[in-house]
Amino acid sequence: MEAVQKDHWYFVVLIFLPFLKVAVQQKEAVTVRLEEGMVLECLCPWDGNLSMVSWTKVPDKYPVAVFHPEYGVAFAHHYRERIEFLRTTPMDGSISMRNVTHQDIGLYHCSVQTFPQGPWTRNIQVEDLDEPPEDENITEHPTPEVTVSDIELVAEQDNNVTISCNHEHNGTVYQVILEKMPHGQPWGIIGVCKKVEGGLVGEDYSDRGRVSCADSLEVSLHLTGVVLDDSGFYRCTFSTDAGMQTTTVLLTVPTPGGFSLSMYMMYIYIGAGSAGLVLFIVILILALRHRKKNRREEYRVKLHPSQRQKWRQWQRQ
């Protein structure tokens, strides 16, 4: 009986564990003073195996820094030689920053990918606390980030779609990071393709679909049975010897009962077919009338002059 009760509580904990983790991830941003050597802490609170750590500054369109326990680190161009991963513990994704400027002020998003517990995230707001406070009566609304897509795709629910980042690279590509931004949420890494000495390495962190890496480091995401949650922006960040390059794809999944692309194309085909049929009938009628008129004229010319007079009188009756 005691063993049954233990199993019961074990399953109860498993059921509520995802909700506990979501609550941890939704904490408010921690404020850090802008100063030389400032530390942005991102220490995962649970034990496990760390798969990857990624830092993104909102609303930048590329990652700030990425750490992989086996393949090393990667930094955005203007953060190179300025950021260092501290790694005080196996689950520590904290970074320190030097040569800071006011351009480093903003919101930083840290994502720690772990196994088997899953991801853990934290937001850190860097502010210049030495500046005098602004007038409380003046409220400035932050400018929302505007994401512009390079490619737009439409996929209906339950269909399959492949999202590919086709990009003309200026330089040699050595790493590609695939991210997704659901509507109203920050970017999150779902796949990494990287060249190492032993060849090509691909990492799939997506819980939807399958991330594939080609030898040319062209990355793609194949989604089977598309759902509404698959809609949003997808971004590929190419790390090359010429700098960072990005390609953004917007995937739209119409809601049930909405005006879908296939229905729109069906209406176009039906309308074009109907118009073509009407035009064919009109042309056929005109051709028959013209042919009939020509036959009458030919018959009139062949008649004798005395018969022509009778022909005209018959037409007038």
Side-chain angles (χ1 to χ4, degrees), residues 49-53 67-70 112-115 203 205:
N49 295 321
L50 187 143
S51 302
M52 187 174 64
V53 179
F67 169 81
H68 191 281
E70 183 177 355
V112 180
Q113 305 290 335
T114 70
F115 181 84
E203 301 176 18
Y205 299 101

Side-chain angles (χ1 to χ4, degrees), residues 129-179:
L129 302 180
D130 295 331
E131 291 185 352
E134 298 179 356
D135 189 350
E136 295 181 357
N137 296 327
I138 301 178
T139 303
E140 294 184 0
H141 298 281
T143 303
E145 177 185 2
V146 178
T147 303
V148 180
S149 60
D150 302 307
I151 304 172
E152 294 186 2
L153 299 176
V154 178
E156 296 189 26
Q157 294 189 62
D158 299 326
N159 288 351
N160 302 334
V161 65
T162 299
I163 301 173
S164 300
C165 293
N166 300 322
H167 189 82
E168 294 295 333
H169 312 300
N170 296 325
T172 303
V173 182
Y174 57 86
Q175 179 177 267
V176 183
I177 298 177
L178 176 61
E179 301 170 279

